[in-house]
Amino acid sequence: MKKMSLAAHTRFSSRFLAVMILHLSSSSAWAGEDDFFIKEIMKQQQPSMNRQLPDWLQTQPIHLNPALEKILKEGNKMAAPGGSSGKEAINGKKSLAKAVQGRWIFVSFGMPMQELKAAAEEAAQTKSMLVFRGVEQDQNTTMMTKKLLPIVKAMKPVPGTVIDPTLFTRFNVTAVPTMIETDSEGKTRRARGLPGFNWLSKQEPGDQGQRGPIYGIVEPDMIEEIQRRAATIDWDKQKSLAIANFWKNQEEFNLRPAKKNKERSVDMTIVSTQDIFHPDGRLVIKKGERINPLAMIPMRQAYIVFDATSQKQVAIAKQAGDEILKRGKPVIYLFSKIDKQRGWDHYNETGELVNGRLYKLNKSIVDRFKLEALPSVIEGEGDHVVVKEIVSGEVH
């Protein structure tokens, strides 16, 4: 029996739909076009071809995390109240033309540490945003975070910090520190150096010139760096490697070989942990009510689970599948292990041998049907499921 947790007072259009939702949530096997296990198997079967890009290939402004994520959260929320932290300037030329309001201090690790700390303190006190143009050559945001963390971690509040080369381009910032403030009317005040926003806000709109020491920017433009680094990547090779390495980290299930023909029944009953209502307000299923989905939705498919590294088990699975197919029942073949060295070649060969749909076994099936030995055949019989351990291909 399986207990079921659902959000309170969930409403469905009928008892039938309520049973289906309960059944899907319980990780129980049921048949029809929406077979839960087939969905789960297919989801796990597909390799991820969209390899996650390195952090330096991100095209959005990058907040320095994960190391700074927690302590910068408050600062980022407080930065540029009523205005922009630079996010409005990230989506291409169109957004660059859009007016933004806020306060920014443009900085670089080309500045002496005491100057960078002074800029961070000013940003913290005035709730403005520290802006970097990118990361240093051959580094990444993790390395950058480690350098910045000792400087800002003791500040209260912690200043908001972002990597956004588009702001450097928008305001034509070529030296640091540069302080820029824009108001709701789009008027801009700027100064090179660190005169402070208390002073800058009192000046007339425009460029106030140099008001302190300035330094060069050591970080390349992040967007240009993205283009440069991306151009050096052989994406076809990366895709091929992803396919070739797919099997290396796949989960295996070391279930013992079956010693004799054996079968047992599995109770598919689930228990509702809350009342479920029809849209018209009628109670459809009472809390604590026992429901057997197979009594309403028969299980059409048969599942044959086997170890693909065992020629004997593959042959038994093939023979058992052929017998079931003669009865007009669809068969789903699930392998617990595969030859990882041969990977896709072994997968394709096994699929041809059994002449059927071939999928990886997943933990939900192992747990739900309490699989212990292979090969095993899982079939629905009326309102219950029968699991058969077999040592020959004959399934009756």
Side-chain angles (χ1 to χ4, degrees):
M1 186 184 302
K2 182 87 171 176
K3 287 210 170 185
M4 193 69 273
S5 294
L6 295 174
H9 268 39
T10 306
R11 294 174 180 266
F12 300 104
S13 61
S14 68
R15 183 182 180 89
F16 181 74
L17 286 177
V19 170
M20 287 202 300
I21 296 299
L22 279 169
H23 197 35
L24 285 171
S25 301
S26 71
S27 296
S28 304
W30 68 299
E33 297 302 317
D34 295 323
D35 188 285
F36 171 74
F37 282 127
I38 291 179
K39 287 183 177 180
E40 287 299 300
I41 293 162
M42 291 183 70
K43 182 170 64 177
Q44 294 185 26
Q45 180 77 15
Q46 298 299 324
S48 174
M49 300 308 301
N50 295 321
R51 185 167 170 264
Q52 185 172 356
L53 297 179
D55 54 20
W56 48 264
L57 278 179
Q58 306 298 323
T59 57
Q60 302 287 316
I62 302 172
H63 290 274
L64 302 182
N65 50 39
L68 277 177
E69 182 176 13
K70 184 175 181 180
I71 66 172
L72 287 180
K73 187 175 182 181
E74 181 180 0
N76 285 336
K77 284 184 177 180
M78 298 171 68
S84 166
S85 65
K87 288 186 178 181
E88 294 87 343
I90 67 176
N91 293 318
K93 295 180 179 180
K94 182 177 180 180
S95 62
L96 286 175
K98 182 180 178 181
V100 294
Q101 179 183 357
R103 286 176 167 179
W104 303 273
I105 303 177
F106 294 81
V107 294
S108 167
F109 280 106
M111 298 164 54
M113 285 298 106
Q114 65 270 22
E115 292 287 333
L116 186 56
K117 183 176 181 180
E121 289 174 342
E122 173 69 16
Q125 293 169 7
T126 58
K127 302 177 183 178
S128 52
M129 180 73 73
L130 288 177
V131 186
F132 287 87
R133 188 170 68 176
V135 297
E136 295 177 75
Q137 195 75 34
D138 299 323
Q139 293 195 9
N140 55 39
T141 57
T142 299
M143 299 175 184
M144 185 177 183
T145 294
K146 289 180 179 179
K147 291 180 67 173
L148 186 60
L149 183 58
I151 298 173
V152 303
K153 68 179 181 179
M155 298 180 185
K156 294 184 180 180
V158 175
T161 308
V162 70
I163 299 173
D164 191 351
T166 62
L167 285 175
F168 277 77
T169 301
R170 174 196 289 271
F171 294 112
N172 192 28
V173 175
T174 57
V176 290
T178 292
M179 303 183 69
I180 295 179
E181 177 184 82
T182 60
D183 58 26
S184 58
E185 298 178 356
K187 297 178 180 178
T188 300
R189 296 170 178 81
R190 64 184 295 154
R192 293 176 296 284
L194 284 174
F197 282 112
N198 287 339
W199 177 85
L200 187 61
S201 298
K202 298 174 184 177
Q203 309 308 308
E204 291 295 320
D207 191 341
Q208 307 303 317
Q210 184 173 339
R211 297 288 173 170
I214 57 174
Y215 307 90
I217 304 168
V218 298
E219 298 84 7
D221 183 296
M222 177 67 82
I223 294 176
E224 294 177 0
E225 185 70 358
I226 287 172
Q227 295 170 344
R228 183 186 72 80
R229 297 193 191 187
T232 65
I233 296 176
D234 185 340
W235 293 107
D236 289 336
K237 181 180 179 181
Q238 294 297 320
K239 182 177 180 180
S240 297
L241 287 174
I243 295 173
N245 294 328
F246 172 69
W247 297 104
K248 289 184 178 180
N249 298 316
Q250 294 300 314
E251 183 178 16
E252 290 185 340
F253 297 91
N254 293 309
L255 302 173
R256 62 177 174 81
K259 296 180 179 180
K260 61 180 180 179
N261 290 339
K262 177 183 175 182
E263 69 176 64
R264 55 188 167 80
S265 295
V266 178
D267 182 8
M268 303 301 292
T269 300
I270 56 179
V271 179
S272 176
T273 59
Q274 68 168 62
D275 292 338
I276 299 178
F277 296 88
H278 189 277
D280 65 9
R282 288 182 292 112
L283 181 64
V284 177
I285 297 175
K286 295 177 63 175
K287 179 180 178 180
E289 185 174 353
R290 299 174 63 191
I291 305 160
N292 185 348
L294 291 187
M296 303 178 67
I297 312 170
M299 181 177 177
R300 292 192 308 126
Q301 287 89 352
Y303 297 90
I304 300 180
V305 188
F306 64 99
D307 180 352
T309 65
S310 166
Q311 292 183 356
K312 179 180 178 180
Q313 290 199 27
V314 173
I316 293 173
K318 163 65 173 171
Q319 186 180 348
D322 289 345
E323 291 291 329
I324 294 171
L325 288 169
K326 290 177 182 178
R327 294 192 259 120
K329 180 177 289 189
V331 176
I332 307 298
Y333 295 92
L334 304 170
F335 60 89
S336 62
K337 291 194 294 186
I338 202 164
D339 185 339
K340 292 185 176 182
Q341 296 300 317
R342 299 183 59 229
W344 292 104
D345 288 338
H346 188 214
Y347 170 83
N348 291 329
E349 290 170 8
T350 305
E352 290 175 2
L353 284 171
V354 299
N355 193 28
R357 300 166 67 182
L358 185 64
Y359 301 97
K360 286 170 59 261
L361 178 64
N362 62 44
K363 192 173 185 299
S364 61
I365 292 181
V366 174
D367 292 344
R368 186 65 181 96
F369 298 110
K370 299 179 176 61
L371 295 181
E372 299 175 352
L374 302 180
S376 285
V377 176
I378 304 168
E379 288 190 85
E381 293 188 4
D383 61 358
H384 63 284
V385 168
V386 174
V387 178
K388 302 175 183 177
E389 297 174 9
I390 54 176
V391 293
S392 68
E394 297 180 3
V395 181
H396 301 287

